[in-house]
């Protein structure tokens, strides 16, 4: 930098390399910052425009909660779960279901809706649910593979049990006979396949009166 008699300042040739050096450093940081900023955006854009994944599911019937807070289905008929698939490219999927032990039961097959490819349904047969009642684990993992290219997408795992609610007593009433109170009610039908092998207990005022299976009672 040169200073003139009239007070003016002019940049000499020796100052340009230093200025160029600082300018280069500035652009390096600028471009690196832009590149780091674009990487997450690109990944996010690719994830939501190309990646398929199951995001949630629901049951068409009643869902119970057991004492451990686990979701439970009842065994009173076939039960269908509906899974919601994020499918931005409308992929056709090859789907498989494995239980919590990694076994693929051939009678439980997830099916993609042919008209709405964002929907996947999985049906448990009643016979299977009856065999798993009283707290059997029926959750598992659904794997997703794109049909045309065999591209594999992230699997979806869920936890679920089968545990039917106990049958409800009906017609409860209290009567007197011989100076005593008599509690009367209709026992539910326990002879069916769902409840026959379960243990049933009758409590009155917190005291156990009778306990056992249908045949024992």
């Amino acid at each position: 930098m040169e200073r003139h008699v009239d007070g003016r300042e002019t940049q000499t040739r020796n100052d340009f390399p230093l200025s160029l050096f600082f300018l280069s450093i500035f652009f390096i940081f600028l471009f690196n910052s832009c590149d780091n900023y674009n990487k997450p955006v690109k990944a996010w854009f690719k994830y939501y425009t190309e990646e398929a994944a199951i995001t949630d599911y629901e049951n068409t019937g009643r869902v119970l909660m057991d004492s451990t807070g686990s979701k439970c289905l009842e065994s009173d008929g076939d039960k269908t779960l509906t899974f919601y698939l994020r499918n931005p490219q409308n992929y056709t999927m090859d789907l498989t279901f494995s239980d919590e032990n990694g076994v693929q039961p051939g009678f439980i097959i997830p099916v993609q809706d042919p008209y709405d490819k964002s929907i996947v349904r999985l049906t448990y047969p009643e016979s299977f649910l009856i065999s798993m009642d009283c707290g059997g684990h029926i959750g598992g993992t659904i794997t997703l593979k794109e049909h045309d290219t065999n591209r594999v997408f992230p699997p979806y795992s869920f936890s679920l049990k089968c545990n039917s609610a106990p049958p409800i007593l009906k017609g409860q009433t209290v009567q007197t006979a011989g100076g005593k109170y008599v509690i009367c009610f209709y026992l539910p039908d326990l002879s069916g396949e769902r409840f026959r092998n379960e243990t049933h207990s009758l409590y009155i005022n917190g005291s156990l009166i009778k306990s056992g299976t249908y045949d024992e009672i």
Side-chain angles (χ1 to χ4, degrees):
M1 186 76 68
E2 292 182 351
R3 183 178 297 276
H4 296 267
V5 176
D6 58 3
R8 290 183 297 107
E9 293 181 347
T10 59
Q11 193 170 23
T12 63
R13 183 172 297 179
N14 292 333
D15 293 325
F16 281 106
L18 185 61
S19 300
L20 185 60
F21 171 76
F22 284 111
L23 188 61
S24 300
I25 295 297
F26 169 76
F27 278 110
I28 289 173
F29 277 105
L30 176 64
F31 289 135
N32 284 338
S33 299
C34 291
D35 184 57
N36 291 331
Y37 176 78
N38 287 330
K39 282 182 180 178
V41 174
K42 291 178 181 178
W44 180 91
F45 185 78
K46 180 178 180 180
Y47 182 75
Y48 283 99
T49 58
E50 298 182 15
E51 290 281 338
I54 294 175
T55 58
D56 200 3
Y57 78 95
E58 65 179 5
N59 177 43
T60 53
R62 184 170 65 157
V63 176
L64 306 177
M65 303 292 288
D66 67 8
S67 58
T68 66
S70 300
K71 292 182 179 180
C72 301
L73 300 184
E74 297 186 277
S75 61
D76 56 340
D78 295 352
K79 301 296 182 182
T80 298
L81 302 182
T82 300
F83 296 84
Y84 297 102
L85 177 65
R86 186 183 69 247
N87 192 4
Q89 298 297 328
N90 214 31
Y91 297 117
T92 297
M93 296 291 183
D94 294 329
L95 305 164
T96 58
F97 169 77
S98 302
D99 64 20
E100 294 184 3
N101 295 318
V103 178
Q104 295 183 8
F107 52 88
I108 302 177
I109 303 174
V111 178
Q112 186 178 25
D113 191 306
Y115 303 103
D116 184 352
K117 293 186 178 182
S118 66
I119 298 295
V120 173
R121 295 183 178 88
L122 183 147
T123 299
Y124 294 104
E126 180 182 13
S127 58
F128 169 74
L129 294 174
I130 290 175
S131 70
M132 299 298 290
D133 212 334
C134 298
H137 291 263
I138 60 174
T141 300
I142 295 179
T143 57
L144 302 90
K145 183 171 67 175
E146 202 267 314
H147 179 76
D148 294 330
T149 64
N150 289 329
R151 180 183 179 187
V152 177
F153 294 105
Y156 182 83
S157 298
F158 63 100
S159 180
L160 195 62
K161 294 180 181 179
C162 181
N163 198 357
S164 299
I168 299 175
L169 297 177
K170 297 181 179 180
Q172 300 94 322
T173 184
V174 178
Q175 299 182 1
T176 57
K180 297 181 179 180
Y181 290 102
V182 179
I183 300 175
C184 304
F185 51 84
Y186 293 103
L187 279 173
D189 182 10
L190 304 177
S191 61
E193 189 178 2
R194 290 180 61 208
F195 301 114
R196 190 177 190 92
N197 295 322
E198 291 186 0
T199 299
H200 306 279
S201 302
L202 175 63
Y203 292 86
I204 297 179
N205 291 333
S207 299
L208 178 64
I209 305 301
K210 188 70 174 179
S211 180
T213 65
Y214 170 79
D215 295 322
E216 293 169 346
I217 293 177

